[in-house]
């Protein structure tokens, strides 16, 4: 079997999901940098890998795949290493529910409306952060955090007693969110999630996939 290839940028939250899955499984892989945010759009030919022009895309033994959820599940099922999904149907559905919550309600709110707006508005858009947008997003972020804490209950990981894909899909989003003062403050007040973050942040997979700006709040 050949080494899988991940196409995308190192600092993308969704690319990091896939890289975290590969790291947790202990699978060597190659990261091929693709900048879909370049002024001219995705590089020539990239739309053949991903018709929506997003990252990540993935290839393994000539098999091409896009969508981080499909890729992370493939990685878990196609390679040896610790299982990242439970076999029990209810527990597995919980993992999928959390992935869907993170994808549908947390990503845009916590990364774009809060992190990018607070920390990147000046360099990205040449303007001051839109405080109304941030304030509205913080309310939505709290709904997400309450829901995740509720689903997590007293477990150490988001979907039970073992690390799963649910944690790997959520961690890159929280990595950005907590870099804002508002995100760090909200996380500190959600003690279950803060404990979860402290555990996941300490994993070697997180160190191996650090987003370059991660250290700079
Ligand atoms: N549903 C996709 C979302 C991927 C996604 O939105 N990736 C972002 C980077 S983190 C992207 O490519 N954005 C480019 C754009 O919005 O044009 C997945 O799960 O892979």
């Amino acid at each position: 079997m050949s080494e899988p290839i991940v196409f995308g940028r190192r600092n993308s939250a969704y690319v990091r999901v896939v890289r975290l899955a590969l790291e947790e499984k202990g699978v060597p892989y190659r990261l091929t940098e693709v900048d879909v945010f370049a002024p001219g759009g995705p590089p020539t030919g990239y739309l053949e890998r991903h018709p929506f022009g997003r990252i990540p895309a993935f290839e393994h033994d000539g098999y091409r795949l896009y969508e981080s959820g499909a890729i992370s599940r493939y990685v878990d099922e196609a390679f040896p290493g610790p299982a990242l999904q439970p076999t029990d149907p209810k527990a597995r559905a919980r993992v999928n529910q959390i992935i869907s919550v993170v994808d549908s309600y947390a990503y845009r709110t916590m990364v774009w409306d809060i992190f990018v707006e607070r920390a990147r508005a000046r360099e990205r858009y040449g303007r001051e952060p839109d405080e109304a947008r941030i304030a509205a997003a913080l309310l939505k972020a709290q709904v997400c955090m309450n829901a995740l804490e509720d689903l997590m209950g007293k477990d150490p990981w988001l979907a039970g007693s073992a690390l799963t894909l649910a944690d790997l899909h959520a961690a890159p989003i929280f990595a950005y969110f907590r870099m804002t003062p508002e995100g760090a403050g909200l996380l500190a007040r959600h003690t279950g999630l803060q404990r979860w973050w402290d555990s996941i942040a300490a994993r070697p997979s997180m160190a191996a996939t650090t987003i370059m700006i991660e250290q700079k709040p």
Side-chain angles (χ1 to χ4, degrees):
M1 282 212 287
S2 63
E3 227 172 53
I5 311 168
V6 180
F7 298 86
R9 271 161 51 129
R10 211 167 279 278
N11 63 358
S12 146
Y14 281 107
V15 169
R16 196 177 191 188
V17 168
V18 170
R19 296 180 66 211
L20 284 171
L22 289 158
E23 294 284 345
E24 289 288 343
K25 297 294 280 188
V27 179
Y29 64 96
R30 193 146 42 93
L31 177 68
T32 297
E33 285 281 336
V34 172
D35 185 2
V36 289
F37 294 104
T44 316
Y46 183 69
L47 295 184
E48 284 165 26
R49 290 197 176 278
H50 197 315
F52 302 97
R54 300 277 179 109
I55 48 175
F58 179 84
E59 184 169 333
H60 180 225
D61 281 340
Y63 174 64
R64 292 181 173 195
L65 200 54
Y66 60 85
E67 286 301 305
S68 61
I71 302 168
S72 67
R73 290 175 181 100
Y74 173 81
V75 167
D76 187 33
E77 288 156 18
F79 295 96
L84 299 172
Q85 301 171 92
T87 49
D88 170 69
K90 291 192 175 74
R92 201 173 177 98
R94 189 68 76 209
V95 170
N96 291 330
Q97 180 187 19
I98 291 172
I99 292 173
S100 187
V101 165
V102 162
D103 198 24
S104 308
Y105 312 117
Y107 169 69
R108 205 134 283 280
T109 297
M110 294 167 99
V111 175
W112 287 93
D113 296 342
I114 298 175
F115 170 76
V116 175
E117 196 56 44
R118 168 65 68 226
R120 294 285 172 269
R122 289 183 193 92
E123 77 178 46
R124 196 179 176 97
Y125 309 118
R127 59 162 173 75
E128 292 302 304
D130 178 342
E131 296 298 339
R133 180 177 175 184
I134 294 172
L138 284 168
L139 296 177
K140 290 188 190 169
Q142 287 179 72
V143 176
C144 290
M145 294 172 86
N146 291 341
L148 290 176
E149 255 188 356
D150 200 36
L151 293 170
M152 185 183 179
K154 298 216 174 317
D155 288 322
W157 299 104
L158 291 181
S161 57
L163 179 94
T164 67
L165 293 180
D167 305 293
L168 307 188
H169 277 257
I173 289 170
F174 277 84
Y176 274 122
F177 178 63
R178 63 172 286 281
M179 279 193 275
T180 63
E182 293 90 343
L186 270 183
L187 191 56
R189 287 200 289 284
H190 286 77
T191 50
L193 276 179
Q194 178 70 63
R195 240 190 337 271
W196 163 79
W197 169 257
D198 293 341
S199 302
I200 190 118
R203 294 192 73 91
S205 62
M206 288 291 280
T209 59
T210 306
I211 295 164
M212 282 169 284
I213 54 165
E214 207 158 334
Q215 304 315 323
K216 296 189 230 152

